[in-house]
Amino acid sequence: MATQLAGVDDETAESWRLVHPEVDQTKKIVLHNVADLTVSGIRRLCSSYGTVVDAYKTNKAGLAFVEFSNETEAALAVKQLNMKLGFNYNADLAMPKETLPTITTDATNDEAKDVPLTDESWERTSLKRRFNLGFSLPLLINFPAQESLATSAHYRATDGCLKRTDPELFFRIYNVQELFDTPKLMLYDPEELQKRNKASEKKYSDERNHFDGEFFTYRGLTEEERAHFEIKYCVVCKGLGFSYCKDCGTHYCCIEHQRQHLEEHNRYCSPIDPAGDTPTEIKSDTEAQPAATNVLKRDPLPAKVEVIITAVLTPDRIYVRSAEKSAIEQYVETIGEFAAAGLNAAPVVKSKAPTVGDIYLAMYEPLGVYGRVLVADVNAKRSKCVFIDYGMVAFVSNDALLLIDDPVLAHRKVLLYKVCLTDITDEQGEREKAVQYLLNLKDRPLRMHYRLEGNNIVNVQLQTPEGESVNDMINKLIKIIPLKNIRSDSYVMYKDLTQSVPAVGKNKQIMILNRTTILLDSRITWISLEDLPYLKNLQSMLECYGKKVAEFEHSYLPREGEMCLVECLKHWYRGVCYETAGDGKPAIFLCDYGSMTLVDLSNIRKIPIQLATKAVRTHDGTVANLDEAKAEGLTLDTMFLDIYLPENELVTVDVSQTTFEEGLPGTQVKETYTLINLHELDIFFNSRNVTL
């Protein structure tokens, strides 16, 4: 059986085969117009697309072959090289062409020298060639940055401290290391201050000074002399205090004692009196109240307490309130007062612009009542706010923010607590199931055990009234157990998968994921801006699961039309087995990216039902007026596509649908097509018609 390389004459192809007789031709590409490049230059040119195993220039001027480590890298190189503007490499896979076999016999030997090509072998050897024009690689999407509303950083202003809140900043979960093991709370370097005190002790160690018991004291000094040495004592151990609170002047000898005293310190801490440079009057524990009304305060929780979930931010970050009867009554009264205050409140924008750290009223949509909000970030039209008494973070229109006339009401005691659940898995599995599970527990009292670090509620364990561990249940819901690569009855067919309906309307933002079919029937594969977070989350789940099963040695050959998990360009995707073949490289359709590719069996795994059944939110769409423009002579070159049909960029379009019947009379079937009208392309078409 004679073979030749596509696009290459027989002499050149034979020269290549003599140098590389045993190499799989599907891993190689052929390049044209590279006479000005050396072999090293060709290697550097192609190395950005994969591992270059070999490069070879032929006797024919401007023609070269490049071999990659696998066919996926070769296909990527073909696509990218042909997209280079200003170059005409005409890259293509060095695919073998088949010629019809002939049966010849020798006069002395009746055995056939050439074996006839059977239907089965023809099917196997020609599969790649038949898909050469149709296959493409998945787009490595540059997902737009998402602004999450559930992370701790969004509860703080850019300067690191929200105004009108107490030092604990309870809208953020701290690491205890951040609170205590940094010099931020120290007005003096402890080591330097200790050296100064030791020097003072040595200098004034005379008859006026002596040791009284365990601790060093000074006697015989005037008040002015004593003030010179700034000698203060730790409130915990009565030793020399080397650091102090800048608000109330309480001194500590070490970080450990500062940590031990923090809870009690926060009860009475008051700003230093500017006139006397001494702390204001300290009340007893029973009378301890905030000295100022323009700060937010809350009471400490018992170590073991029943709580009710009010908001779920992530599977490991939630807001809770006490389930104690008196706390519930106080909570209902508080939210009722804010709901009533919002009925006659004036808009903020009529008197001033919203300010970061200020407290206003806004409509709490889930309940349809007004609630108190703390502004975390201000933009031109809307501000990021946290609903203090509900624990929900949301964007609120600046026009919808209302003033609170009563400052005492605005800074009413907070009855919510942000808690951090312990030992929650960081796996990117079915996290939405865990969130839904927590939402279903919102109305039930839960037993909470926790540890207090830096006045933050961490290492939280929750239990249901039945004794079930909420933390363990969350992990069970998130994790996806790896499936062994064996055929079983649990599989999903692509035809049974849910396909989302594209949102029809004007001025929609979409991203083009694949345009390889644009030359055939003017179709593109696209996804809406609103669905990109869904695809990003799905991709994270596939990557996480793919790492689990990457080491499975047994290959998995899916049925035709069956969903599977495939690895391509070192990433994992959902695939549909389009057509199997005996060469071990079935054709796979990557349904979330609209790409057809050939995948080695070693890179195919069985996909769990949880991932297989997630809806496909990408769509096919016909580009409006493109067929007519092509009929009039429009050339769709790389430059044109990059300008008017760019991949990996958000473009503004109008989306519409049309339905018509296809088939013979009596057997007609209604087909619905999506029409994509790209704004920039439409402007080009209109200008072209004017020119003509």
Side-chain angles (χ1 to χ4, degrees):
M1 180 177 62
T3 62
Q4 67 181 45
L5 296 177
V8 183
D9 57 44
D10 294 340
E11 181 181 354
T12 305
E14 184 63 25
S15 174
W16 171 261
R17 278 192 294 272
L18 289 175
V19 179
H20 306 278
E22 302 298 332
V23 180
D24 183 0
Q25 301 293 320
T26 61
K27 299 179 183 178
K28 293 187 299 298
I29 66 173
V30 57
L31 298 179
H32 298 78
N33 304 315
V34 291
D36 295 335
L37 295 177
T38 64
V39 173
S40 299
I42 294 173
R43 280 181 173 272
R44 288 194 297 271
L45 173 68
C46 298
S47 60
S48 58
Y49 312 120
T51 303
V52 177
V53 177
D54 195 8
Y56 172 75
K57 294 186 72 173
T58 67
N59 295 329
K60 185 176 180 180
L63 190 68
F65 290 92
V66 179
E67 179 195 349
F68 289 86
S69 61
N70 57 61
E71 54 272 6
T72 302
E73 294 176 350
L76 177 63
V78 169
K79 179 179 179 181
Q80 297 297 327
L81 287 170
N82 286 333
M83 291 174 61
K84 278 185 171 294
L85 299 178
F87 297 92
N88 191 25
Y89 293 128
N90 292 331
D92 197 359
L93 291 176
M95 308 291 288
K97 289 183 178 178
E98 308 298 338
T99 60
L100 292 177
T102 58
I103 305 298
T104 61
T105 59
D106 187 83
T108 59
N109 189 356
D110 293 334
E111 292 184 2
K113 289 186 176 180
D114 293 323
V115 180
L117 189 64
T118 64
D119 291 342
E120 182 180 355
S121 59
W122 178 271
E123 175 76 14
R124 181 172 62 254
T125 56
S126 64
L127 179 66
K128 293 187 179 69
R129 178 168 56 83
R130 289 188 289 109
F131 282 94
N132 189 27
L133 294 177
F135 86 94
S136 61
L137 295 173
L139 184 69
L140 298 179
I141 300 177
N142 295 324
F143 288 102
Q146 291 177 250
E147 189 162 26
S148 172
L149 295 178
T151 58
S152 59
H154 296 132
Y155 301 127
R156 310 189 74 188
T158 54
D159 60 359
C161 177
L162 285 174
K163 294 188 300 181
R164 295 185 174 87
T165 60
D166 62 356
E168 61 185 309
L169 289 173
F170 51 80
F171 289 114
R172 179 167 183 252
I173 292 292
Y174 285 100
N175 186 318
V176 67
Q177 204 71 11
E178 182 178 348
L179 269 181
F180 299 111
D181 292 352
T182 65
K184 294 179 181 179
L185 298 181
M186 306 290 185
L187 295 188
Y188 296 99
D189 183 358
E191 295 182 1
E192 185 65 28
L193 189 58
Q194 191 171 16
K195 291 179 181 178
R196 287 170 50 196
N197 284 325
K198 286 183 177 179
S200 299
E201 294 172 12
K202 185 177 181 181
K203 181 177 180 181
Y204 292 92
S205 181
D206 51 26
E207 69 280 358
R208 296 177 300 173
N209 305 325
H210 69 280
F211 284 98
D212 183 10
E214 185 179 359
F215 304 108
F216 185 86
T217 61
Y218 288 89
R219 292 186 179 180
L221 299 180
T222 65
E223 289 296 324
E224 183 178 355
E225 290 173 329
R226 292 176 62 87
H228 175 73
F229 295 111
E230 301 178 335
I231 302 301
K232 301 289 184 180
Y233 304 106
C234 175
V235 295
V236 177
C237 67
K238 309 306 179 186
L240 293 175
F242 303 120
S243 63
Y244 65 91
C245 172
K246 62 182 180 181
D247 290 330
C248 64
T250 304
H251 278 67
Y252 302 95
C253 66
C254 61
I255 294 174
E256 184 62 30
H257 288 174
Q258 183 187 33
R259 179 183 301 166
Q260 293 177 9
H261 190 255
L262 181 64
E263 187 172 349
E264 181 180 351
H265 167 265
N266 284 342
R267 293 199 189 105
Y268 66 75
C269 178
S270 303
I272 295 178
D273 184 3
D277 197 29
T278 57
T280 56
E281 181 181 358
I282 298 177
K283 300 181 180 180
S284 64
D285 289 345
T286 57
E287 301 175 348
Q289 295 292 336
T293 59
N294 64 339
V295 295
L296 294 172
K297 289 289 185 179
R298 68 178 182 191
D299 293 332
L301 280 174
K304 297 181 180 180
V305 64
E306 282 193 342
V307 296
I308 297 174
I309 297 175
T310 63
V312 180
L313 305 181
T314 64
D316 62 341
R317 294 288 194 278
I318 62 175
Y319 275 103
V320 300
R321 58 184 175 89
S322 174
E324 187 182 351
K325 183 179 179 180
S326 59
I328 293 176
E329 293 175 352
Q330 189 177 0
Y331 177 76
V332 173
E333 180 183 355
T334 298
I335 62 175
E337 291 190 22
F338 286 118
L343 298 177
N344 300 313
V348 173
V349 293
K350 287 187 176 180
S351 59
K352 63 173 184 176
T355 306
V356 172
D358 279 352
I359 298 173
Y360 305 108
L361 289 172
M363 177 61 68
Y364 183 66
E365 298 296 343
L367 297 181
V369 298
Y370 290 99
R372 178 175 50 162
V373 296
L374 180 67
V375 177
D377 188 20
V378 176
N379 292 313
K381 294 184 178 180
R382 59 178 189 167
S383 300
K384 188 186 301 179
C385 304
V386 54
F387 282 84
I388 297 173
D389 303 295
Y390 297 99
M392 185 181 77
V393 188
F395 286 104
V396 179
S397 171
N398 293 340
D399 297 335
L401 292 173
L402 306 178
L403 289 169
I404 303 179
D405 295 330
D406 186 358
V408 176
L409 179 64
H411 298 92
R412 179 73 61 85
K413 183 185 297 183
V414 179
L415 300 172
L416 248 58
Y417 304 82
K418 185 177 180 181
V419 302
C420 176
L421 302 180
T422 188
D423 296 330
I424 300 300
T425 179
D426 58 357
E427 180 176 325
Q428 295 293 328
E430 298 184 274
R431 303 180 72 84
E432 64 275 10
K433 284 190 175 181
V435 171
Q436 187 58 49
Y437 168 70
L438 287 169
L439 292 175
N440 293 336
L441 295 176
K442 285 184 68 172
D443 297 328
R444 303 185 65 188
L446 305 173
R447 193 70 177 173
M448 185 174 80
H449 303 265
Y450 69 94
R451 185 162 55 87
L452 200 67
E453 285 189 352
N455 219 22
N456 291 275
I457 302 173
V458 298
N459 287 10
V460 175
Q461 292 279 356
L462 290 179
Q463 280 187 335
T464 64
E466 296 79 18
E468 179 185 70
S469 172
V470 174
N471 301 54
D472 292 343
M473 188 61 187
I474 290 174
N475 287 338
K476 290 179 182 178
L477 290 172
I478 293 177
K479 294 179 180 179
I480 302 177
I481 305 301
L483 297 174
K484 298 298 182 181
N485 282 356
I486 56 174
R487 181 170 291 278
S488 67
D489 294 332
S490 58
Y491 63 93
V492 177
M493 302 299 288
Y494 180 63
K495 63 181 179 62
D496 299 327
L497 210 59
T498 303
Q499 306 279 338
S500 65
V501 178
V504 177
K506 295 184 179 296
N507 298 318
K508 300 288 186 180
Q509 283 198 297
I510 69 168
M511 180 179 287
I512 299 174
L513 301 181
N514 194 345
R515 63 189 186 195
T516 55
T517 54
I518 196 73
L519 296 175
L520 301 176
D521 51 11
S522 300
R523 283 186 303 110
I524 58 173
T525 302
W526 60 277
I527 186 171
S528 67
L529 173 63
E530 291 76 13
D531 287 329
L532 278 174
Y534 172 87
L535 182 59
K536 184 178 182 181
N537 180 59
L538 174 61
Q539 195 61 42
S540 298
M541 296 171 64
L542 293 172
E543 295 287 355
C544 185
Y545 184 80
K547 292 179 181 178
K548 292 182 179 181
V549 298
E551 302 303 322
F552 285 177
E553 296 180 357
H554 300 290
S555 60
Y556 178 73
L557 179 61
R559 306 167 175 84
E560 290 187 12
E562 180 183 345
M563 298 290 296
C564 56
L565 183 72
V566 300
E567 186 180 23
C568 182
L569 297 175
K570 299 182 180 180
H571 293 282
W572 293 90
Y573 302 92
R574 288 198 304 175
V576 184
C577 182
Y578 188 80
E579 186 175 0
T580 59
D583 60 355
K585 294 180 176 62
I588 301 293
F589 176 64
L590 306 181
C591 56
D592 298 302
Y593 291 79
S595 303
M596 178 74 76
T597 187
L598 298 167
V599 182
D600 192 283
L601 278 180
S602 62
N603 294 327
I604 300 178
R605 303 289 185 272
K606 187 172 179 63
I607 191 170
I609 292 181
Q610 303 99 304
L611 298 177
T613 53
K614 292 187 177 297
V616 176
R617 296 195 182 184
T618 53
H619 312 280
D620 276 348
T622 302
V623 179
N625 305 318
L626 189 58
D627 281 336
E628 293 82 352
K630 287 193 295 183
E632 294 173 359
L634 177 65
T635 301
L636 302 182
D637 56 12
T638 302
M639 181 179 295
F640 177 86
L641 294 177
D642 287 342
I643 293 175
Y644 296 106
L645 292 164
E647 293 178 330
N648 234 347
E649 294 180 17
L650 292 176
V651 293
T652 304
V653 302
D654 298 336
V655 182
S656 60
Q657 287 188 323
T658 179
T659 303
F660 58 89
E661 295 181 346
E662 286 185 343
L664 297 174
T667 60
Q668 292 177 329
V669 178
K670 288 186 176 181
E671 294 287 343
T672 301
Y673 290 89
T674 302
L675 200 64
I676 306 297
N677 194 320
L678 291 94
H679 290 187
E680 295 293 333
L681 185 60
D682 204 33
I683 294 173
F684 169 77
F685 286 153
N686 291 335
S687 65
R688 189 168 180 269
N689 291 334
V690 171
T691 304
L692 294 176

